[in-house]
Amino acid sequence: FSNLCGTVYRQGNIVFTPDGSSVLSPVGNRVSVFDLVNNKSRTFAFENRHNISAIALSPDANILVSVDEEGRALLVNFKRGTTLHHFNFKKPVEDIQFSPDGKFIAVTHGPHVQVWKTPNHLLREFAPFVLHRTYTGHHDDVLSIRWSTDSRFFLTTSRDMTARLFTLDPLEGYRPKTFTGHRDIILRAYFSSDHKSIYTVSRDGAVFEWCQKRSERSAEGDSDEEMLSDNEPTGQDAIALTRWGIAKRHYFNQAHTKVTSCTFHPPSNLLVVGFSSGVFGLWELPDFVNIHTLSISQERISSCAISPSGEWLAFGAKKLGQLLVWEWQSESYVLKQQGHYFDMNTLSYSADGQNVATGGDDGKVKVWNTTSGFCFVTFSEHTAAVSTVEFAKQGQVLFSASLDGTVRGYDLIRYRNFRTFTSPTPVQFSALAVDPSGEVVAAGSTDSFEVFMWSVQTGKLLDVLTGHEARISCLAFSPTGNILVSGSWDESVRLWSVFGRSRQVDPFMLGSEVLAVAFRPDGRELAVSTLNGQIAFWDTEKHKQTSLIEGRKDVSGGRKQDDRVTAANSASGKAFNSLAYTADGSCLIGGGNSKYVVIYDAREGVMVKKFQISENLSLDGTEEYLDSRKAGEADIDDRGDESELEDRLDTTLPGARNGDMSKRKYRPEARTKCVRFSPTGRSWAAASTDGLLIYSLDDAITFDPFDLTVDLTPSSILATLQRKEYLKALVMAFRLNEKPLIQRAYESVPPSDINLLARELPVVYVSAMLKFVAGHMESSVHMEFDLLWARALLLAHGRYLRDRSTEFASVFRALQRGISDFQTAIAKTSDENTSTMTYLVDQAKLRGEARKS
């Protein structure tokens, strides 16, 4: 598993890393990390059993704890992404927080709070979680926990409309302080930076500031404002000894909205609040000055976070799947990403494998960069679900077919919809194919059973192919470009010679409805998937079936909650909806309405590998066997238990304002709607319920052996050079990042060893090495030496650099500039030498003639 695109936020809390450069976001039962500085994203390979409800990262960024809806937690080494331990908190967890010193983890546990000792991320222990204490006192579920900076006290808030102040260790004579007075659920409570004030925020939009009460002998007035103290308690237990009372009451005064999320940044006294209307506000405490209020979403903001420096604000909107990072001082977006609102239906790789286009039920076409994992353009011209997207083989052109009766062409250089193709009578398009030259586009309809062909240049309709008697499910042009194949629910596949004079049509009859077709890259073989779970292989020249794969048992799997029969006997999900060949044509990949994606050896007809796309039990169809004790629970609608009123209502039927009584199925199914191999042959992608899953052969985490060494000093580098350990010295110099040392190590390498060193250089240093070589070229006299290094690095790491060509574009440009400067210098020197040689030869001739005469 390499990455998950297409989903940026599902539910739970967003967390910034301690350095503030990355954001952690829960995507279903996985966790994604968005690097805001280097513009990259990655998704960890580990999976929780259900959708994640809370995550926490330790202050030293070594340990990540992710907790799912059922209270089951994973302890993960954050830097390596490996799971260290599984643990069950036995109750749903609303909030989990590491103490600032990193020694304890506080977890909500129903109306209680449990504090656990932080496990060691370097040792493998049998039972790493050790309970420190359980704290009681609240009468309803605890919603949040906030630690003091010295890690000795923490504040909790609850649904019982109170907040409480607990001490980590028992304090003689201390009873937990209770903060009451709010008229709605208290969402969060915060300490000020000096711990002399406490702020509580409730759902109805009230912020109370708590300070020390005045001593009774000096209390002259009863107003809230006169809360200043005469003799403040001092020492490390000052927070516990303070007599807290309400100093000020503030209100947001946002009409018809409720506070859904908030966060506080003590160093700058900034309070960030997200509302149910999609508006967020920024207030400066204790004066409660509104810095700005902005609408960033159409739906409620379900999570917000602030970076450690206080510059960036991150927001997550659960319903739309949005993740936004906002820089409030410059009022600009650092990151703005949104997945498909409904299911992702289709995907297509660009010719170089750098980009993936996806189409969804929300009518949007999105293009994702496979290296960074970010969506860089969204086309929303379609008014209905997008059924197929396809890149043209040449040029930056993308086509999409939709149920709104249009096929659209997009220019990926200017990012615009440059062509719209329609049929003479309105039809819904279910399939699309683009011929290899990119000049002709064909689309199949669901209702008239015809195939329409248009010219891309003129936009005119070229031909209408008739003959099918049911919905056209798939279309494909042969790689040679002279044959169009169409598959239909009338149990036939037709081969059309669309560009030949004969206009020949060859029907292949199959025993069941056709769901998907795929050409082998050489165009001589056609793979056809049918509803009975078979994959048939046909020779396109001899028009004969060559082999057959029975795939029912391979692809089927998973029993849904309302299935009356076992997974083995269920008829649903036992066919391949999508097929794709590898770049060399040796293997075939298939996916369908089940949790499995299967790779077959196309020649032998045997299964090579089987991938399970999700282990998320929040999805339907991921379990093989159902627990009969819970058999009736599938039919119970548990949305009535939701805390927010708008979540309890269902207004999906037109005109239903107060919710409709129709039975709904709320659990999404684990299924794959489309699978495709990358043209590079090193990765494949699946459009699934979770999003766009990318699996690749390239190991994303590159191990740097020098991460383990500590002794990095200029003298140790020079000693390494004297021992003629050139590679080690070079890498150590890069680690210290001292240019004179890098130059010395670089110029010490014998030219005969350059090829060997370039091959052995760890990939993490390739870009730095190329950048240094490019810079060295500008001022160096060692022309051949630099050129030898450049050639050796490009030969040794060519594929790695090509796959990340956009990332290393600046390095390539610098290298190109250096080489062209060399070329100019050599050409100039050669011209001068040629002139000098000509002059010398002429002089010699003149002298020779003078002597003769």
Side-chain angles (χ1 to χ4, degrees):
F1 177 76
S2 167
N3 204 353
L4 170 65
C5 305
T7 311
V8 288
Y9 173 76
R10 275 281 163 83
Q11 65 177 38
N13 61 316
I14 299 168
V15 175
F16 271 98
T17 51
D19 61 1
S21 64
S22 301
V23 171
L24 275 69
S25 170
V27 285
N29 66 334
R30 300 179 189 265
V31 177
S32 285
V33 183
F34 298 93
D35 189 334
L36 304 172
V37 177
N38 299 318
N39 196 36
K40 277 185 177 179
S41 74
R42 63 190 172 100
T43 305
F44 287 116
F46 68 82
E47 289 187 71
N48 282 66
R49 285 167 58 98
H50 290 82
N51 285 336
I52 293 171
S53 62
I55 56 173
L57 185 64
S58 64
D60 57 2
N62 280 327
I63 296 177
L64 172 69
V65 179
S66 67
V67 191
D68 66 22
E69 297 164 331
E70 303 286 314
R72 293 177 182 270
L74 292 181
L75 184 75
V76 178
N77 182 323
F78 177 68
K79 291 190 173 149
R80 291 278 168 244
T82 51
T83 306
L84 303 176
H85 192 68
H86 296 251
F87 188 74
N88 189 357
F89 286 117
K90 297 188 171 68
K91 274 191 181 179
V93 172
E94 293 284 346
D95 194 13
I96 176 167
Q97 294 288 340
F98 277 90
S99 62
D101 60 7
K103 293 179 180 175
F104 297 95
I105 307 172
V107 183
T108 65
H109 192 258
H112 305 155
V113 175
Q114 293 182 338
V115 174
W116 301 78
K117 291 177 181 171
T118 304
N120 191 327
H121 69 286
L122 297 174
L123 295 175
R124 294 302 294 268
E125 298 169 281
F126 176 68
F129 279 88
V130 177
L131 184 65
H132 175 66
R133 275 185 74 196
T134 301
Y135 302 81
T136 61
H138 283 292
H139 305 296
D140 205 341
D141 287 349
V142 178
L143 294 179
S144 76
I145 302 165
R146 190 64 53 175
W147 288 87
S148 62
T149 49
D150 60 0
S151 303
R152 298 183 69 247
F153 306 92
F154 59 89
L155 281 165
T156 61
T157 66
S158 166
R159 289 188 188 280
D160 62 9
M161 297 190 280
T162 65
R164 283 179 175 257
L165 175 62
F166 293 98
T167 60
L168 178 66
D169 296 307
L171 203 62
E172 194 176 343
Y174 176 77
R175 291 178 62 193
K177 299 281 197 303
T178 305
F179 301 83
T180 59
H182 282 281
R183 297 182 179 182
D184 204 344
I185 295 170
I186 302 180
L187 292 176
R188 296 283 186 273
Y190 304 102
F191 289 103
S192 64
S193 54
D194 58 1
H195 294 93
K196 290 181 181 175
S197 300
I198 286 175
Y199 304 105
T200 53
V201 184
S202 67
R203 194 170 61 176
D204 58 359
V207 180
F208 288 3
E209 181 185 349
W210 305 75
C211 293
Q212 188 189 355
K213 285 183 179 178
R214 285 176 69 103
S215 55
E216 290 175 14
R217 65 175 184 275
S218 62
E220 296 169 1
D222 297 322
S223 68
D224 287 343
E225 278 72 21
E226 297 183 11
M227 298 300 298
L228 299 171
S229 166
D230 296 337
N231 48 350
E232 293 183 0
T234 54
Q236 58 181 9
D237 297 329
I239 298 172
L241 300 174
T242 303
R243 294 177 64 241
W244 296 98
I246 297 176
K248 289 178 186 171
R249 291 180 171 90
H250 305 290
Y251 299 94
F252 296 122
N253 296 326
Q254 296 274 337
H256 311 296
T257 62
K258 291 193 171 178
V259 176
T260 52
S261 60
C262 63
T263 187
F264 181 64
H265 188 246
S268 59
N269 284 324
L270 283 178
L271 179 69
V272 186
V273 182
F275 295 97
S276 55
S277 58
V279 172
F280 88 90
L282 201 57
W283 277 268
E284 190 172 4
L285 297 175
D287 301 325
F288 201 68
V289 178
N290 186 1
I291 295 171
H292 71 201
T293 309
L294 190 75
S295 175
I296 54 169
S297 178
Q298 288 85 36
E299 296 296 335
R300 68 189 173 101
I301 297 169
S302 39
S303 176
C304 61
I306 190 162
S307 64
S309 63
E311 295 172 349
W312 291 345
L313 316 175
F315 300 97
K318 175 181 173 181
K319 194 168 180 184
L320 293 177
Q322 283 179 317
L323 180 67
L324 311 163
V325 179
W326 173 261
E327 188 171 34
W328 64 273
Q329 285 161 325
S330 64
E331 298 194 10
S332 59
Y333 284 110
V334 177
L335 173 74
K336 189 179 184 183
Q337 291 285 303
Q338 180 178 347
H340 286 285
Y341 182 50
F342 294 113
D343 273 1
M344 193 184 285
N345 288 336
T346 174
L347 72 101
S348 175
Y349 267 101
S350 62
D352 59 357
Q354 293 275 341
N355 301 324
V356 178
T358 59
D361 276 345
D362 56 359
K364 290 187 170 69
V365 175
K366 290 177 176 281
V367 188
W368 308 81
N369 184 299
T370 52
T371 311
S372 72
F374 287 125
C375 168
F376 61 89
V377 64
T378 301
F379 300 107
S380 50
E381 282 84 1
H382 283 297
T383 56
V386 177
S387 52
T388 321
V389 293
E390 201 70 53
F391 272 98
K393 295 287 183 289
Q394 279 99 20
Q396 295 282 315
V397 181
L398 172 68
F399 296 95
S400 65
S402 166
L403 299 182
D404 64 2
T406 62
V407 172
R408 293 177 184 269
Y410 303 99
D411 178 354
L412 291 182
I413 294 170
R414 295 179 186 84
Y415 299 138
R416 64 190 180 95
N417 174 204
F418 73 93
R419 281 276 184 276
T420 303
F421 309 100
T422 55
S423 54
T425 54
V427 293
Q428 292 185 317
F429 292 117
S430 56
L432 176 76
V434 185
D435 99 301
S437 67
E439 298 285 327
V440 176
V441 62
S445 74
T446 59
D447 27 24
S448 67
F449 318 143
E450 296 167 327
V451 178
F452 300 87
M453 290 175 60
W454 297 271
S455 163
V456 176
Q457 292 283 342
T458 61
K460 289 182 179 176
L461 185 67
L462 298 176
D463 204 353
V464 180
L465 309 176
T466 57
H468 281 294
E469 296 169 6
R471 170 191 170 122
I472 291 166
S473 56
C474 47
L475 283 175
F477 271 101
S478 105
T480 54
N482 55 356
I483 294 174
L484 172 68
V485 64
S486 60
S488 167
W489 288 4
D490 62 6
E491 303 185 4
S492 73
V493 168
R494 288 172 180 262
L495 271 68
W496 314 79
S497 298
V498 282
F499 303 124
R501 266 186 197 170
S502 62
R503 311 300 292 273
Q504 184 182 342
V505 182
D506 299 305
F508 296 166
M509 299 309 295
L510 295 109
S512 186
E513 288 86 345
V514 176
L515 299 180
V517 294
F519 268 105
R520 201 168 68 189
D522 61 3
R524 293 181 180 177
E525 187 176 78
L526 178 71
V528 183
S529 160
T530 52
L531 190 61
N532 58 6
Q534 296 177 341
I535 301 175
F537 295 91
W538 295 75
D539 188 315
T540 53
E541 292 174 351
K542 298 176 182 174
H543 297 184
K544 286 182 181 178
Q545 185 175 334
T546 53
S547 62
L548 185 77
I549 294 176
E550 285 282 355
R552 283 175 69 85
K553 292 271 183 5
D554 300 331
V555 74
S556 72
R559 183 176 177 182
K560 300 179 183 66
Q561 287 284 5
D562 52 358
D563 280 355
R564 295 286 176 255
V565 292
T566 60
N569 296 327
S570 172
S572 67
K574 290 200 170 180
F576 295 97
N577 289 343
S578 179
L579 293 176
Y581 272 97
T582 52
D584 59 356
S586 61
C587 291
L588 183 77
I589 190 168
N593 283 345
S594 80
K595 60 179 178 176
Y596 291 118
V597 170
V598 188
I599 296 183
Y600 290 103
D601 186 304
R603 293 184 184 86
E604 302 294 330
V606 294
M607 184 169 70
V608 177
K609 196 160 176 58
K610 191 173 179 178
F611 295 91
Q612 183 171 340
I613 56 163
S614 180
E615 295 177 3
N616 188 355
L617 300 183
S618 297
L619 301 177
D620 221 358
T622 47
E623 289 179 281
E624 289 293 328
Y625 303 100
L626 295 182
D627 189 343
S628 58
R629 291 170 295 180
K630 300 176 184 174
E633 289 184 13
D635 303 325
I636 299 171
D637 177 12
D638 58 354
R639 278 179 321 151
D641 302 334
E642 293 283 353
S643 58
E644 300 290 336
L645 177 66
E646 53 263 34
D647 289 341
R648 293 201 291 272
L649 296 177
D650 185 2
T651 53
T652 44
L653 281 186
R657 292 186 178 178
N658 300 322
D660 61 86
M661 304 301 290
S662 59
K663 185 175 179 292
R664 288 270 186 274
K665 190 174 181 183
Y666 299 106
R667 292 183 62 186
E669 290 180 24
R671 61 182 176 185
T672 310
K673 288 201 169 182
C674 187
V675 288
R676 289 288 180 268
F677 259 105
S678 165
T680 59
R682 297 193 63 79
S683 63
W684 61 269
S688 74
T689 318
D690 279 335
L692 180 66
L693 298 166
I694 298 176
Y695 289 78
S696 71
L697 293 173
D698 305 309
D699 193 4
I701 297 173
T702 46
F703 174 65
D704 178 9
F706 292 89
D707 278 341
L708 307 176
T709 58
V710 184
D711 184 26
L712 278 174
T713 59
S715 55
S716 66
I717 293 171
L718 295 174
T720 312
L721 272 176
Q722 282 177 348
R723 294 197 301 272
K724 297 188 177 180
E725 295 177 17
Y726 300 113
L727 180 63
K728 190 176 179 183
L730 199 58
V731 173
M732 286 166 76
F734 274 119
R735 289 302 298 268
L736 270 186
N737 207 14
E738 296 275 338
K739 198 170 180 185
L741 280 171
I742 298 173
Q743 185 160 345
R744 180 154 182 187
Y746 172 77
E747 290 177 356
S748 302
V749 178
S752 57
D753 292 356
I754 288 175
N755 283 330
L756 177 65
L757 262 67
R759 276 201 306 275
E760 297 300 319
L761 186 73
V763 255
V764 281
Y765 299 108
V766 169
S767 75
M769 187 71 200
L770 273 174
K771 195 182 287 185
F772 176 79
V773 171
H776 195 258
M777 282 178 173
E778 292 176 10
S779 56
S780 165
V781 292
H782 307 294
M783 200 175 282
E784 187 186 0
F785 187 73
D786 287 340
L787 289 171
L788 283 171
W789 262 111
R791 187 181 69 175
L793 286 166
L794 292 172
L795 283 173
H797 303 281
R799 189 170 64 199
Y800 172 81
L801 293 166
R802 189 189 62 198
D803 291 347
R804 292 160 180 78
S805 56
T806 48
E807 189 183 330
F808 298 137
S810 59
V811 180
F812 290 151
R813 279 195 291 271
L815 200 63
Q816 186 185 11
R817 189 170 63 244
I819 292 170
S820 57
D821 286 351
F822 275 2
Q823 186 185 3
T824 312
I826 291 169
K828 190 178 176 184
T829 309
S830 301
D831 289 344
E832 287 175 1
N833 289 351
T834 308
S835 306
T836 310
M837 292 293 288
T838 312
Y839 172 76
L840 291 172
V841 169
D842 288 346
Q843 289 298 316
K845 282 180 182 176
L846 286 170
R847 281 181 185 174
E849 288 170 5
R851 279 176 188 161
K852 283 177 185 175
S853 62

